[in-house]
Amino acid sequence: LCYFTGASSSSVNALVKAGLAEITQDEVFRRSVLRSEEQSPLPELNEEQRAAFEGILSLYDGEHASASLLYGVTGSGKTSVYVHLIDAMRRKGKASILLVPEISLTPQMMTLFLQRYGRRVAVLHSALAIGERTDEWKRIKRGEARIVIGTRSAVFAPCRELGLVVMDEEQEHTYKSESAPRYHARDVARFRCAQHGALLLLTSATPSIESYHAAQSGRYALFELHSRYGLAQLPEVEVADMRQETLEGGCIGEKLRGEMQTCIESGRQAILLLNRRGYNTFVSCRSCGHVITCPSCSISMTYHRANGRLICHYCGYTEPVPVQCPACGSKYISGFKAGTEKIEMVVRKRFPEARVLRMDMDTTRGKEDYEQILSAFANHEADILIGTQMIVKGHDFPNVTLVGILAADMSLYTDDYRSGERTFQLLTQAVGRAGRGDKKGEAVIQTYSPDHYAIATSAAQDYEAFYEEEIRYRTMMGYPPAENLLAVFIS
């Protein structure tokens, strides 16, 4: 006021001394989201969910920490179970932290919790402005917000009386920080739960091999949900052998094209996933599907353009790029590359009547881009959503009846012993986006390796069969969790 009127602070002080004015300080928090004050009811639990909820809650005594794994098929209602647990902790006067792997999942979770708890919810993630994060941190520390939702750094939220930490989609690699300070959110969560005598709950439709192994060996309590919630059914999955199909634009096969046409004509929605988990280029045969792998490590070798050679990033073995396939003798052997932008062009050309959205790193640079794209798709402002793995994690679109996975091999053959596990997880999550409403869902997996166990078990939505096969491979090769690995980098 002094600035805009030209008055001095001494004038204000004189008014205060005369008793004509009063100076007060009031802190006003910035609001990153609209906060509802109306309390929505808790979701109803079926028998399976009720048994899991009561079993997990019975482990809490306020003094001793415990860890549980909630494993359930896609669409089985794992979210409803931990919403009830968070509500139970709130009634006990305890705080809860809910961790999600991607920023794109926080708006959906925030809407769910804001409708029930309003201002008692805080959000923490890197897309917030520094001032907004500071305000949320203060509200948590003061005890005004007892429920914290966020990405991995939210595990450090200054909750006074912590009762529960939930890690949704616990298998995701984004929970591990690769930059200083280096940490895994799961390890920090276990430590914090030990400090507070709190519950740690890991949830997933595709648990990490390490977590499921820990549950099998008794280190975690295991709770399972075997059927989808309500009337929803698991989608029918078809594996398209790309060695036999004609590709349009180098990416969409005949089977998927036909299913997309039917889906669009019926007024329903489709999701197309480019399974681009790694950016390393592997070399494969377009005739028989054979991939060049390291003879010692059983992982795919990476093509290096600078020297024109294939190199194993585990042991250093190297060999020249073959001019013909060592398995079938075909000359159609080369590196595997694709991009979402190219796929969008092909789809727009093939289906000019369809409304198309693309979601990847290029289209989500802005602070609210995630929410705008997902909201537009949820409101049926588009018929087809094209994207990378960020579009298949935990999202619920009832009108989506078709999911197409364009290049399952792109994550199956990365230079990592976890490539089979990550492919299974991503494909199972992607397939699980179809048929979540009252309409039957379908999925098409395009691959040059239809017989690979990661592809076959994800098509069958059979985690146990995948785990048995994968743990045999890990034990034979001496990979975790059978043995420990230590990587030493010298620069």
Side-chain angles (χ1 to χ4, degrees):
L1 283 171
C2 290
Y3 177 82
F4 283 111
T5 59
S8 65
S9 56
S10 58
S11 304
V12 176
N13 293 333
L15 288 169
V16 172
K17 282 182 181 177
L20 297 171
E22 182 182 9
I23 296 175
T24 61
Q25 280 193 351
D26 184 23
E27 187 173 17
V28 180
F29 287 134
R30 286 147 283 213
R31 296 297 179 205
S32 59
V33 287
L34 182 65
R35 302 186 184 277
S36 168
E37 298 302 332
E38 296 179 15
Q39 199 167 88
S40 62
L42 283 170
E44 288 187 25
L45 300 181
N46 59 28
E47 285 185 28
E48 252 189 346
Q49 291 170 317
R50 172 77 44 193
F53 162 69
E54 291 174 353
I56 297 165
L57 191 60
S58 68
L59 298 173
Y60 180 74
D61 62 9
E63 295 180 10
H64 305 95
S66 69
S68 304
L69 173 64
L70 177 61
Y71 156 58
V73 298
T74 54
S76 58
K78 297 180 289 296
T79 303
S80 297
V81 174
Y82 64 68
V83 166
H84 275 262
L85 285 168
I86 289 170
D87 196 71
M89 288 298 163
R90 184 187 62 83
R91 292 197 300 272
K92 292 175 185 289
K94 299 293 182 180
S96 300
I97 297 174
L98 169 59
L99 301 176
V100 293
E102 304 268 0
I103 293 172
S104 62
L105 292 180
T106 47
Q108 194 174 16
M109 287 295 180
M110 284 301 295
T111 301
L112 176 69
F113 281 90
L114 285 173
Q115 286 174 349
R116 175 151 184 85
Y117 302 112
R119 296 178 181 276
R120 285 168 290 188
V121 180
V123 60
L124 290 173
H125 58 70
S126 58
L128 295 178
I130 189 70
E132 291 172 332
R133 271 189 284 173
T134 304
D135 290 348
E136 295 293 76
W137 195 89
K138 285 180 180 177
R139 292 177 59 245
I140 297 164
K141 185 149 180 83
R142 292 173 183 174
E144 296 171 20
R146 309 286 288 186
I147 299 168
V148 182
I149 301 172
T151 48
R152 66 174 177 243
S153 60
V155 74
F156 296 107
C159 301
R160 287 181 178 174
E161 297 179 60
L162 188 61
L164 174 69
V165 178
V166 179
M167 283 186 68
D168 197 20
E169 307 292 356
E170 65 85 24
Q171 78 283 356
E172 286 301 319
H173 72 289
T174 49
Y175 282 123
K176 185 176 182 180
S177 171
E178 300 289 357
S179 57
R182 288 172 173 80
Y183 67 94
H184 197 299
R186 182 178 57 225
D187 299 329
V188 178
R190 286 177 64 182
F191 185 81
R192 292 205 67 188
C193 287
Q195 284 183 314
H196 292 264
L199 290 176
L200 171 62
L201 176 63
L202 311 177
T203 80
S204 180
T206 54
S208 64
I209 297 296
E210 288 82 359
S211 293
Y212 198 73
H213 185 263
Q216 292 290 336
S217 59
R219 281 172 44 217
Y220 295 164
L222 178 63
F223 300 90
E224 300 182 61
L225 304 175
H226 295 287
S227 55
R228 279 194 158 184
Y229 186 79
L231 302 173
Q233 296 177 313
L234 287 170
E236 292 180 4
V237 184
E238 185 161 341
V239 178
D241 187 345
M242 304 315 291
R243 296 169 299 184
Q244 313 294 333
E245 291 216 13
T246 305
L247 289 173
E248 182 161 323
C251 55
I252 301 177
E254 306 154 45
K255 175 64 183 172
L256 182 55
R257 287 200 300 271
E259 295 292 347
M260 288 174 69
Q261 190 68 53
T262 304
C263 180
I264 294 165
E265 288 172 356
S266 62
R268 296 172 184 176
Q269 292 172 288
I271 288 176
L272 295 184
L273 169 71
L274 177 62
N275 191 8
R276 191 165 189 169
R277 197 60 182 266
Y279 291 89
N280 296 313
T281 303
F282 62 90
V283 171
S284 65
C285 175
R286 295 294 176 272
S287 297
C288 71
H290 177 75
V291 174
I292 310 298
T293 57
C294 174
S296 302
C297 305
S298 294
I299 63 164
S300 64
M301 298 178 70
T302 302
Y303 171 62
H304 285 246
R305 188 186 300 174
N307 60 8
R309 296 182 70 84
L310 294 169
I311 298 176
C312 173
H313 285 174
Y314 274 21
C315 70
Y317 173 80
T318 178
E319 64 179 54
V321 178
V323 293
Q324 61 183 46
C325 176
C328 73
S330 168
K331 62 179 180 180
Y332 297 107
I333 185 164
S334 63
F336 200 108
K337 294 180 181 178
T340 48
E341 198 169 353
K342 179 187 175 184
I343 291 161
E344 183 184 11
M345 289 170 56
V346 172
V347 170
R348 287 186 185 278
K349 185 178 178 181
R350 182 69 176 77
F351 304 100
E353 74 281 11
R355 299 165 297 170
V356 182
L357 280 173
R358 175 164 60 94
M359 188 170 177
D360 53 24
M361 292 300 288
D362 293 327
T363 62
T364 54
R365 295 185 186 279
K367 182 177 164 184
E368 297 175 356
D369 290 342
Y370 288 99
E371 194 169 358
Q372 287 172 356
I373 293 172
L374 293 171
S375 296
F377 191 64
N379 295 332
H380 205 164
E381 294 171 24
D383 304 300
I384 301 171
L385 176 62
I386 300 167
T388 50
Q389 68 262 18
M390 64 176 71
I391 67 174
V392 298
K393 308 287 175 56
H395 302 303
D396 198 339
F397 303 116
N399 200 45
V400 170
T401 58
L402 175 65
V403 170
I405 293 107
L406 299 177
D409 308 271
M410 289 197 77
S411 65
L412 188 58
Y413 298 112
T414 57
D415 55 348
D416 191 336
Y417 72 88
R418 298 185 187 89
S419 60
E421 176 186 3
R422 288 179 172 169
T423 299
F424 173 84
Q425 290 166 345
L426 196 55
L427 298 192
T428 304
Q429 294 284 352
V431 166
R433 296 314 105 199
R436 295 176 77 91
D438 54 1
K439 306 178 185 85
K440 181 72 175 173
E442 292 179 282
V444 178
I445 299 174
Q446 296 190 162
T447 177
Y448 286 93
S449 310
D451 300 323
H452 194 286
Y453 67 90
I455 304 287
T457 52
S458 62
Q461 300 269 290
D462 190 343
Y463 178 83
E464 287 86 355
F466 169 77
Y467 174 81
E468 292 300 327
E469 192 74 37
E470 182 71 10
I471 202 70
R472 276 200 292 270
Y473 159 65
R474 300 279 184 96
T475 303
M476 180 177 71
M477 296 300 295
Y479 291 142
E483 295 179 29
N484 291 318
L485 278 185
L486 176 66
V488 180
F489 292 90
I490 300 171
S491 63

